[in-house]
Amino acid sequence: GSQSRCRIERLNAQEPRRRVESEAGLTEYFDEDNEQFECAGVAAHRRIVQPGGLVLPKFYNAHALTYVVQGKGIFGNVMPGCPESFQSFQRGDPRTSREEGRRGRSERDQHQRVDHFREGDIIAIPAGVAHWVYNDGEQPIVAFTVLDTSNNANQLDSNRREFLLAGRKGRGQHLGVEPREDSDDFNLLSGFDTESLAESMGISRDLAEKLRGRSDDRGEIVRVEGSFHIVRPSRREEGMSEGEEREREYEEEERERERRRLMAN
Amino acid sequence: GLEQAFCSVGVKRNIDDPRRADIYNPNAGRTTTLNSQKLPLLRYLQLNAVRGVLHRNAFVAPHWNMNAHSIMYVTRGNARLQIVNDRGNTAFNGELRQNQLIVVPQNFALLIQSRSENFEWVAIKTNDNAMVSPIVGKTSVFKGLPEEVLRNAYRVSREEARMLKYNRGEEMVVLVPHSSQSRGRA
């Protein structure tokens, strides 16, 4: 079937055909029905995340690679069974416990690894793995993503699928000659009834209703109000100023360039 | 070569024996997984199997199969199943009884609650190392996410975010009914 879709006589430059706007950004999708994408068994999109924007947790039905065209931020891939290795406290340390006690429990957290990224980075996102992104920079993040829907990791049909774990996807606008709108997509939890969700998670009905997010109209990229404190290593915590940090990064890049030049020789 | 590869390879393994359970909670139930690490032939078949037993009103945590479809066949009892697709729509919401089967497509979210004394099933999955991603519990997505992400994603307080992460404590996959959990704590 896929081979017959590859009888292409003429190739065309493609531009995004559908746009979905959110509170703090937008996503533009390339036309998956185009024979070029069908032949290659891939889907592609471009996402723009405004400063302070958070791409809500979601996963794809296929492996994906993202190239960061512009901006910087942090992201996390959440793999089931991996340890919550980023911790803001140490159990059993009496000094830490006392300190925590003074500050109250409000600042404690532990979660899986998070990573920084910046312009020029490639980020790998395995199929079925939940991930999120936060823009902690001063300019919008622009990221280009390709999903390999024909890979064996995707056992569904060749359509791209995004499974939201929170929020809800706004109506898509088709760009071009016949502009039209899609219907809304909701998050996975919204498909469970409130009672079952509350009971299985051991939470109140009110909180379960919030998880379902039926009345959440912020979209899939939301604006973070106030600060966004998560546990992550920072060079500045080691007493390094922002200028020194940039200088260190520049030196590392120089070393990397030199290493590559020597390898080429 | 063929002889070495196939003729002497193990082809069976019991997954009904409770002593072989991989996940066990006396108040909720158990699951036993047979994958290609336990039975290498499954690597060739690209299939694996899960045996599950769930006590009355206990849950299988909301989860999705990351890399496989799951074909669930009920061997005893009945349970309520809810299955959700990528658009957040309920693809199935109903009861599954003995001798009935349902196909749970890859990535679709699934929640099971036993309605009988013992709900028992076997699931054949289309990957020799099928992986499951639970939403709550010890090895869950919620536990791996920073509190700030949960807070902003669901517009909840810090306390509520913490409840989402830790309310199910060390429980994994098979969950005790919440009401009996409260009684236990009391």
Side-chain angles (χ1 to χ4, degrees):
Chain A
S2 61
Q3 282 182 341
S4 65
R5 289 189 203 115
C6 288
R7 292 191 186 132
I8 299 170
E9 298 293 333
R10 183 170 294 170
L11 296 167
N12 303 308
Q14 296 292 311
E15 288 191 6
R17 295 296 300 272
R18 194 163 65 92
R19 172 183 296 168
V20 179
E21 294 196 8
S22 297
E23 183 184 60
L26 62 91
T27 310
E28 292 177 323
Y29 296 93
F30 291 81
D31 182 13
E32 290 162 46
D33 297 331
N34 181 283
E35 56 187 2
Q36 293 169 217
F37 292 111
E38 284 189 347
C39 169
V42 298
H45 65 257
R46 192 172 84 112
R47 185 161 284 141
I48 298 172
V49 185
Q50 297 301 336
L54 172 71
V55 181
L56 297 181
K58 66 167 77 179
F59 59 91
Y60 301 127
N61 62 328
H63 295 324
L65 276 189
T66 294
Y67 177 73
V68 183
V69 180
Q70 172 193 300
K72 64 173 189 141
I74 49 180
F75 78 100
N77 282 346
V78 185
M79 308 280 250
C82 291
E84 286 82 46
S85 53
F86 280 37
Q87 303 175 327
S88 60
F89 62 97
Q90 282 182 305
R91 273 182 208 281
D93 180 346
R95 274 180 315 153
T96 314
S97 303
R98 275 200 298 278
E99 181 64 20
E100 290 293 334
R102 271 201 295 277
R103 281 189 292 178
R105 287 184 64 204
S106 62
E107 287 172 39
R108 292 182 187 179
D109 193 14
Q110 56 180 346
H111 50 76
Q112 287 189 18
R113 176 197 168 105
V114 299
D115 281 298
H116 296 256
F117 66 85
R118 62 192 167 114
E119 195 173 304
D121 283 349
I122 285 279
I123 300 171
I125 307 163
V129 170
H131 59 275
W132 56 272
V133 175
Y134 176 65
N135 184 348
D136 66 348
E138 282 153 14
Q139 60 174 333
I141 293 170
V142 179
F144 170 72
T145 299
V146 170
L147 276 77
D148 185 6
T149 52
S150 58
N151 188 288
N152 285 341
N154 172 33
Q155 297 190 8
L156 296 167
D157 57 34
S158 58
N159 292 323
R160 159 235 307 283
R161 284 187 167 83
E162 290 182 33
F163 295 78
L164 306 181
L165 286 170
R168 137 186 154 182
K169 189 173 272 190
R171 287 163 192 268
Q173 272 188 328
H174 288 257
L175 311 169
V177 201
E178 283 183 52
R180 62 178 197 277
E181 283 193 344
D182 290 336
S183 58
D184 282 7
D185 282 356
F186 295 97
N187 77 53
L188 278 179
L189 300 177
S190 78
F192 298 128
D193 75 58
T194 310
E195 193 66 44
S196 303
L197 196 57
E199 213 183 325
S200 67
M201 295 194 168
I203 55 176
S204 67
R205 283 178 59 93
D206 283 350
L207 183 51
E209 203 53 61
K210 286 180 186 171
L211 295 187
R212 294 178 79 233
R214 286 265 164 182
S215 57
D216 189 342
D217 55 4
R218 296 173 300 164
E220 57 178 340
I221 309 167
V222 304
R223 183 170 297 114
V224 170
E225 303 295 348
S227 57
F228 188 80
H229 289 299
I230 62 167
V231 190
R232 54 177 160 154
S234 161
R235 283 177 180 153
R236 269 177 241 169
E237 280 177 14
E238 295 164 8
M240 198 181 281
S241 70
E242 193 175 352
E244 286 169 329
E245 185 184 353
R246 279 208 203 104
E247 204 171 311
R248 174 74 69 86
E249 278 178 359
Y250 179 74
E251 282 170 11
E252 279 175 11
E253 280 170 16
E254 279 293 300
R255 269 201 297 274
E256 179 62 19
R257 266 197 290 273
E258 181 64 13
R259 192 183 65 80
R260 267 188 255 134
R261 193 183 62 79
L262 288 171
M263 279 180 72
N265 279 340
Chain B
L2 257 182
E3 274 177 19
Q4 281 173 357
F6 288 109
C7 303
S8 58
V9 79
V11 293
K12 70 163 181 143
R13 177 106 178 207
N14 185 284
I15 55 169
D16 201 28
D17 185 346
R19 289 171 302 178
R20 296 191 182 208
D22 295 304
I23 294 170
Y24 172 66
N25 181 328
N27 298 317
R30 67 172 196 270
T31 64
T32 311
T33 302
L34 184 62
N35 55 21
S36 61
Q37 288 163 46
K38 294 181 184 171
L39 188 67
L41 181 62
L42 294 180
R43 189 167 299 127
Y44 176 69
L45 304 187
Q46 293 278 295
L47 294 170
N48 86 351
V50 176
R51 175 69 167 154
V53 175
L54 208 56
H55 302 332
R56 183 182 285 280
N57 291 331
F59 289 93
V60 172
H63 68 276
W64 68 90
N65 289 292
M66 296 170 72
N67 55 0
H69 302 307
S70 172
I71 293 87
M72 263 186 83
Y73 175 73
V74 182
T75 56
R76 183 192 284 184
N78 57 311
R80 182 177 176 204
L81 266 77
Q82 294 178 58
I83 303 173
V84 184
N85 70 10
D86 56 311
R87 312 199 72 176
N89 296 325
T90 314
F92 181 84
N93 182 7
E95 200 165 271
L96 205 62
R97 293 190 305 276
Q98 190 171 1
N99 292 332
Q100 288 187 325
L101 170 153
I102 197 160
V103 175
V104 185
Q106 180 185 14
N107 296 152
F108 281 39
L110 169 66
L111 174 60
I112 306 173
Q113 185 175 25
S114 171
R115 291 287 191 221
S116 58
E117 209 48 54
N118 269 331
F119 171 66
E120 299 179 8
W121 76 97
V122 63
I124 307 297
K125 301 190 179 187
T126 57
N127 192 308
D128 61 308
N129 268 310
M131 290 166 69
V132 159
S133 188
I135 296 172
V136 286
K138 187 176 180 181
T139 56
S140 67
V141 177
F142 276 5
K143 209 140 177 230
L145 286 171
E147 271 175 24
E148 287 285 342
V149 173
L150 286 170
R151 248 167 34 84
N152 284 284
Y154 298 110
R155 293 192 284 193
V156 296
S157 67
R158 194 174 291 279
E159 272 313 306
E160 287 174 319
R162 198 161 286 153
M163 282 172 80
L164 293 174
K165 284 187 77 159
Y166 303 114
N167 239 20
R168 277 295 179 180
E170 298 293 300
E171 288 181 85
M172 52 196 289
V173 183
V174 286
L175 308 176
V176 177
H178 188 51
S179 46
S180 69
Q181 206 176 34
S182 322
R183 277 200 298 276
R185 278 182 196 147

